[in-house]
Each structure stands twice: as structure tokens, then as C-alpha cells.
Amino acid sequence: METQPPAAARSGRHRRNSGLGPRFTALWWGQAASMFGDQVAYLTIPLFVLQIADSNLDFAMTYALETIPTFLFGLGAGVMLDRVRLRPLMVMADLVRAAAFFVLAWVASDPNGNELILVFLVAFAVGSFSALFQNSMFALVPALVPSTGLARANARIAASQQATLVLGPLVAGILATAFHSASPGFVINGLTFLLSAVSLIWVGNVPKPTQPPEQGSYWEETLHGFRFLWGEPRLRASTLAAGVANFVVGFIEATFVVLATEVLGTTRESQIGVMLAVFGVGGLAGAAMAPRITRMLGLGRTMVVGLATFGLALWLVVRSTYGPAVLVVLFVATFGLSLVNVPLATIRQLYSPAAMMGRVISASRTVAWSTLPLGALIGATLADAGDYIGVALVAPIVIVVTALWLLVTPVWRDAFGPKSGRRIALDSEMVG
């Protein structure tokens, strides 16, 4: 799926940037900085909520409020992404998120017992602008790199996300221990969003997306994007599979402490930290290997293999107790999850018409992410009710069944995407 650049370009700056170009590199460093902040908050916010919460439901509500905006606003936001310049929109999202965490840092520095509502509000605001940023970023990538480099670009983004999953919680734990407060972690998070905004300025001007011949209302164009998603069999099947995987991921992430203590039998907080670090290392390895595996198997088959690997390994985790063996299986589980994420993002970009890139990607992410808060809330409710282990055993089996279903879909059969890696043209009949 890769092509060799012209001889004149095979030196200097182009080689150092692995053929993806300095503008993508600037975007990549910026999102890596903001993802580092996100992962600092991944542990800092729960530690802060732990000081002020009354039940597992408070943790689940925080998680759900951060993830549900992708479902609530994703479809309509896609229309906006196809109408405006993406880079200024992403800068605005970074600045708003930075301000939100600076406010939370100020409040956390002197808690008075009424912070939980503010945490809920910040979670919802940050989730809303994070959804806008992520959708914009994946819609912007095809304008910065050639189609044949999309898998590598998405793999690099996934790798940086997984690397920050290793470093972020570690830094958050050190900050919380050293300062006995969540405030420094929130400050770090705000600063990383400012760094992301600066990197986006370095990206430079990106042309406004090409518009389709006819424009309707926001509602009509939203429906066009969703109709195209649902009518394209590869996009439909991969999106539904991602929704199933995210339901389980939401369930696991929102109740990870319960999984570690009640199922795996951890006895120290440091053991939970080691497990989170292994999650990140496994995901980083999967993202690094994804382009090579994709070249051998194709996009669709890599996604199916990754989904099956994730489900089987997660089932083994739930059947285990804490120790070296479970850490190895955790590594394999997140390795498989990264093999899902990289081809999934690439399939969206390759099969979305350029004039509808924002709408189709937003629609796909909306459907896929809508199950995250659902899984989180159901997981927390079951944890409080004492039925956690039974559901934790069933959830991975659902993922494996989904992988088997993909074997009979075009995702498996049409493994390598459009010929020559070119994005498909707009089909006017399909979008109505």
C-alpha cells in the first residue's frame, strides 16, 4: 500500500518525516501533547472524584458525561466540519479545554465539598470539544498526507496515544503523591492543550473542504452523511463492530478498579498502576506493528484479527488472578485493540468522499462512541449490584462473536481498500 517517493524527495527533511511531511508531523506532535494531558487527567480526575464521591455511579457519571457528547453532537458537528476550515476549529477546541482544566485546577486547590457538579460540567465540556477536535483531526489528516500514507499516519497517531497512556497515569500518580492534590495534574493538562494549539498554528493553512454541488439544511446534510455511512457496507460493518468493542471498553474503563480488586485480586495501588502501564505498552506495540500487519493482511483482515485477539485475551484476563501471566495477557489484549483502531480510522478515510469527509467520519465515530457511556453506566450499576463478574465474563465473548460476524462481510473480503489507495468518488444516488 506504500509508494516510493521521487528520487528528488528521498533525502533530508522528507526522509526524517517518513514521507508524511512536516505539516503532519506538527499535527502529530500537537495531538500527542494533548493526549498526554488527557492521560494525566485519566487518573487525576478519578483520584479527585474519589475524594468527593459517594458511590461507583459518580465515577461512571463522570466518564459518561465525557464520552456522551460524541453521540449527542457528533452527527450535526460533521456538517460543520465539511463547511469550515478545520484548523481554526481545532485551535478553538484546544483553548476551551485548556481553560476548563485551569478552572478545575483552581477549584481543586481549595476544595470545599461542592466540586462534584463542577467536575460533571467540565467533563461534559471537555468531552464535547474533544469530540470536535478528534473528528476534525481525522478529517484533516487526508489533506496532509497521500492516501497511501494514511495507514502509517493513523498508526503514528495511535502509537502516540498509547505511549501517553503509559506516561500520563505515571506522571499523574507522582504529582498526586508529591503535592497531595489533583490541582497540579489539571494544570499540566491545560498546558498540554495550549501546546497543541501552538502546533496547529505551525501546520499552516489548509484549504477549505470542497463542497458538494448542492447544499441543504444542517439536518438534510447530516442525514446525507449518515445515509452514506449506512449504505457503504465496509463503513457500516466496521462502525457496528467498533460500537460493540467500545461498549466493552467503556464497561472495563469505567470499572477498572473493580476489575483489578474484585476479579484479579490486586492488593496495592501500585499493582493497578502496573496494569495501566501494561495496557499502554501493549497498545503502543500494536500501533507500531499495525502498518506492517496491514500490508500483509489488508485493512479489513487486520481489524478482524485484532478484534478477535482483544476479545479472547480479555476473556482470559477475567479468568485470571493478578500476576505475571495476567500482565502478559493484558499486553496481548491491548495489542489486539490497536490492531482494530488503526485500520478502522483508515477505512473511514479511504471510503469517505472528500466532500463528505467530516460528516461520514463524525457519523461513524458517533455511532461507535455512543456505546462507551452505555457500557460505563451498565458496568457501574452491575458493580454496585454485585453482578459484575458474570457480565465481565460475557462481554469478551460478544467481541469474539462480532469478529466472527465480520468474516462474512466485505470488511474481510475487500481487505485492501479501494484500488491504488484512492478515496472513492461521491455517489449521488447513495447519499440522496
Side-chain angles (χ1 to χ4, degrees):
M1 294 181 64
E2 295 183 61
T3 58
Q4 187 75 4
R10 292 200 299 267
S11 62
R13 182 175 62 184
H14 288 82
R15 180 173 295 175
R16 289 196 298 272
N17 285 294
S18 304
L20 298 178
R23 303 209 309 157
F24 171 79
T25 301
L27 174 69
W28 175 61
W29 277 110
Q31 68 82 33
S34 66
M35 279 301 302
F36 175 76
D38 285 342
Q39 296 306 328
V40 170
Y42 182 77
L43 183 59
T44 305
I45 289 180
L47 289 176
F48 184 51
V49 173
L50 185 63
Q51 302 174 18
I52 56 180
D54 297 322
S55 70
N56 288 320
L57 191 59
D58 291 330
F59 290 95
M61 282 293 295
T62 304
Y63 182 87
L65 286 169
E66 190 172 354
T67 54
I68 202 171
T70 301
F71 172 70
L72 292 179
F73 308 130
L75 292 176
V79 178
M80 179 173 61
L81 299 187
D82 285 333
R83 291 186 175 186
V84 304
R85 296 185 184 276
L86 297 176
R87 189 173 62 101
L89 199 64
M90 295 169 70
V91 171
M92 179 195 69
D94 275 333
L95 295 178
V96 171
R97 288 184 293 174
F101 276 104
F102 288 145
V103 170
L104 198 57
W106 175 66
V107 172
S109 64
D110 186 23
N112 57 22
N114 298 316
E115 295 83 11
L116 192 57
I117 295 298
L118 178 62
V119 169
F120 290 163
L121 292 174
V122 167
F124 186 77
V126 168
S128 300
F129 284 95
S130 292
L132 188 65
F133 182 94
Q134 292 291 321
N135 290 346
S136 299
M137 180 184 68
F138 284 112
L140 186 64
V141 168
L144 301 180
V145 300
S147 296
T148 51
L150 286 177
R152 269 187 300 156
N154 290 323
R156 186 174 292 189
I157 290 172
S160 62
Q161 291 172 341
Q162 295 299 327
T164 58
L165 179 60
V166 179
L167 297 175
L170 176 62
V171 171
I174 293 173
L175 290 172
T177 301
F179 293 95
H180 304 288
S181 170
S183 185
F186 293 144
V187 171
I188 293 294
N189 205 353
L191 291 175
T192 58
F193 287 124
L194 293 182
L195 286 175
S196 178
V198 171
S199 76
L200 284 168
I201 295 173
W202 288 344
V203 169
N205 183 55
V206 179
K208 187 177 179 180
T210 303
Q211 296 298 319
E214 297 181 6
Q215 281 190 341
S217 66
Y218 256 69
W219 176 246
E220 290 172 338
E221 291 191 44
T222 297
L223 288 180
H224 287 174
F226 187 80
R227 275 191 217 155
F228 188 91
L229 168 71
W230 198 252
E232 212 299 312
R234 301 152 195 84
L235 290 172
R236 180 178 65 243
S238 60
T239 297
L240 291 176
V244 173
N246 277 339
F247 179 88
V248 177
V249 169
F251 170 70
I252 296 298
E253 285 189 345
T255 60
F256 188 78
V257 174
V258 180
L259 173 68
T261 56
E262 295 187 10
V263 179
L264 301 181
T266 58
T267 57
R268 297 189 300 273
E269 292 180 354
S270 60
Q271 293 174 332
I272 299 177
V274 169
M275 291 172 61
L276 288 172
V278 170
F279 258 91
V281 172
L284 179 60
M289 290 296 297
R292 182 176 300 176
I293 296 174
T294 297
R295 286 195 296 271
M296 293 188 299
L297 301 180
L299 291 169
R301 293 179 183 179
T302 300
M303 181 179 176
V304 173
V305 169
L307 199 63
T309 301
F310 174 56
L312 288 171
L314 191 59
W315 185 82
L316 290 175
V317 167
V318 179
R319 300 281 296 178
S320 306
T321 55
Y322 183 82
V326 82
L327 294 179
V328 172
V329 181
L330 278 173
F331 175 92
V332 173
T334 51
F335 183 96
L337 190 58
S338 277
L339 294 187
V340 175
N341 288 332
V342 173
L344 174 63
T346 308
I347 287 170
R348 288 168 176 162
Q349 292 162 340
L350 287 175
Y351 285 99
S352 299
M356 297 180 66
M357 186 74 66
R359 277 171 286 172
V360 176
I361 289 178
S362 295
S364 180
R365 285 173 55 83
T366 296
V367 174
W369 277 57
S370 66
T371 58
L372 274 171
L374 186 62
L377 292 173
I378 290 177
T381 301
L382 292 172
D384 284 339
D387 298 328
Y388 181 85
I389 295 179
V391 176
L393 283 169
V394 172
I397 297 175
V398 175
I399 291 181
V400 175
V401 171
T402 303
L404 293 175
W405 166 68
L406 286 177
L407 293 176
V408 299
T409 70
V411 170
W412 178 265
R413 296 194 301 270
D414 188 14
F416 288 94
K419 292 181 180 179
S420 303
R422 296 171 184 164
R423 293 193 297 274
I424 58 176
L426 179 63
D427 185 340
S428 59
E429 292 184 0
M430 186 172 292
V431 302

